[in-house]
Amino acid sequence: IQEVLIDTFGCDRVDFEGKTYTENTILEDTFISIHGCDSLHRQVNIIVEHFNLELTSSFDSAYQGETIVLTTTANVPYDIYAWGPASWFSDQSAFVQYWKAQQSGVISVHGESRAGCPDSAEVYLDVLPFNSGIFIPNAFSPNGDGLNDYFGPAFWVTRGYTINAFRIFNRYGQIVYQSASAEDKGWDGRFKGKDCDIGTYFYQVDVDFLNGINTTVRGDLSLVR
C-alpha cells in the first residue's frame, strides 16, 4: 500500500475538494485498485490558523502631554509591521508603544503571524486638555459625619501631577500634618492621635504637573466641629 501525506494550510479557512474547513481536520482515505486491493492510503492534514491581534491602552482617555502605553498581544507568535497614523509612531515594528498624547483619534496596528496570517486592531483615544489648577477649601469639619472630614488639595485632573509636599501648621509654626502622596485622603484634624483645637491653621502645597509647571500654594484654613 502506498502512503501519501498531504498538509494544507490556511488563515481562518481552508477550501479542499469542494468543502470549506474552519478548524484543524485530519482526512483519511483508502483507495482500492481495479483488482479490488488496497493500493493507496492518503492522509490530509488541514491546518487552520485563527490569528487574533489585540491592542490595549493604559487609559481609555488621556490628558494632553500624558504618556500612554499601547500594548499588542496575540494568541500565536507574530510580528508587527505598521502603526497608524504613521506620523505618530517612529518605530513601526514595535510591539509596545509609549505615545505622548497630543490629539484624539483612532490608533491602529497591523501584524502578521509567523505562519503568514494578517490581522489588525485599533483603539480610540480621547485626548483631553490638561488643566494644572488646584482648588483648596478654606475650612473643614472633621466631626465624623462623612462631610468635609478631611482637608486637602483638589485637582481639575485625576492624573498627571506629583505632590512634592503637603503640610499643615498650627499657629505656632508646628507641623501637625504632612504628606507627599496623592493617595492620602488628607488631614483628619488630628495630631499625635488627638483631636486638634478648633481655630485657624496654615497650609503649604507644592505640586509638579506633567506640563512642566510647578505650583506652590500657601494659605490658611479654619477647623470647625
Side-chain angles (χ1 to χ4, degrees), residues 4-6 8 14 16-17 19 21 24-30 41-46:
V4 177
L5 180 64
I6 300 174
T8 180
V14 169
F16 183 77
E17 294 184 343
K19 293 186 65 176
Y21 299 87
N24 294 344
T25 306
I26 297 176
L27 303 176
E28 292 187 296
D29 296 300
T30 301
H41 177 263
R42 182 183 71 167
Q43 178 176 307
V44 180
N45 295 322
I46 296 176

Side-chain angles (χ1 to χ4, degrees), residues 6 10-11 21 24 27 36 42 45 49 56 66 68 84 94 105 110 121 144 154 158 170 177-178 189 197 202 204:
I6 300 174
C11 300
Y21 299 87
N24 294 344
L27 303 176
R42 182 183 71 167
N45 295 322
E49 181 176 82
T56 58
E66 185 177 23
I68 301 300
H110 302 267
T158 59
N170 61 20
Y177 174 83
Q178 61 180 335
D197 295 334
F202 305 90
Q204 177 182 317

